[in-house]
Amino acid sequence: MSRNHPFPDIIHLTAQHSRDSMEPDIRAAFDQLPPEVRQTALNLRDLICETARTLPETGGVTECLKWGQPAWLPVRKAVGTTVRIGAEGGDLALYVHCQTGLIEEFQRHYADKFRFSGNRALLIDGSGSIPSGELAHCIALALTYHARKKQPRQ
């Protein structure tokens, strides 16, 4: 158990957070990803952290393991939903909660950019560069999902 927080597998990410400071169990989860998607997964991790820093309403993100996969959730409760990284086939997968409708929202914006796996994952070619602008938008939509649902419709 950490002195800074009650959960050993959770850390609060800051601007100074780096791969070197990754908790051992999180690093092990990245190491278990297929070699052909591992570097892209680490780049996606950086993008998730950078995107979260642009969303003050989240209070930042907490990095943890969910279902054995690296995951990030907003520090503030009831603001957004968790995003996770995994692999499906030769692709990198950005998972979101399957009951949110986020995958449908991602498809409305980026059906021509990404492939999808049901209502739970956005698939990224793990061997190339990531389309960071589009992915950052999808990440922001997930990390603010509940807060956006509470806003009055215009």
Side-chain angles (χ1 to χ4, degrees):
M1 192 172 307
S2 169
R3 293 180 187 156
N4 297 331
H5 50 77
F7 305 103
D9 59 339
I10 295 177
I11 54 175
H12 294 279
L13 301 180
T14 65
Q16 293 78 35
H17 187 74
S18 72
R19 294 176 189 162
D20 296 333
S21 64
M22 199 183 298
E23 293 288 329
D25 55 345
I26 306 247
R27 179 169 295 286
F30 275 99
D31 290 344
Q32 290 175 6
L33 290 169
E36 61 273 12
V37 300
R38 192 173 302 138
Q39 185 57 53
T40 305
L42 289 166
N43 293 341
L44 181 54
R45 175 186 185 257
D46 292 343
L47 182 63
I48 292 167
C49 297
E50 290 168 16
T51 301
R53 282 192 284 275
T54 69
L55 304 167
E57 62 268 42
T58 66
V61 291
T62 299
E63 182 173 63
C64 61
L65 291 179
K66 289 198 177 207
W67 298 281
Q69 296 171 318
W72 298 264
L73 60 148
V75 170
R76 291 197 179 112
K77 303 296 181 209
V79 171
T81 192
T82 301
V83 294
R84 294 181 289 125
I85 293 177
E88 282 197 22
D91 293 319
L92 187 62
L94 178 71
Y95 294 103
V96 295
H97 192 288
C98 64
Q99 295 178 338
T100 60
L102 280 164
I103 295 300
E104 289 176 1
E105 191 172 2
F106 298 167
Q107 287 173 321
R108 281 194 303 273
H109 290 289
Y110 303 113
D112 61 332
K113 275 282 193 193
F114 301 110
R115 288 177 296 108
F116 301 89
S117 178
N119 60 354
R120 67 188 193 110
L122 178 154
L123 302 176
I124 305 155
D125 177 5
S127 63
S129 63
I130 58 176
S132 57
E134 295 89 343
L135 272 174
H137 182 222
C138 292
I139 292 162
L141 290 172
L143 294 177
T144 60
Y145 175 75
H146 295 295
R148 290 183 303 110
K149 278 180 47 177
K150 293 175 188 174
Q151 292 176 348
R153 298 196 183 230
Q154 299 181 14

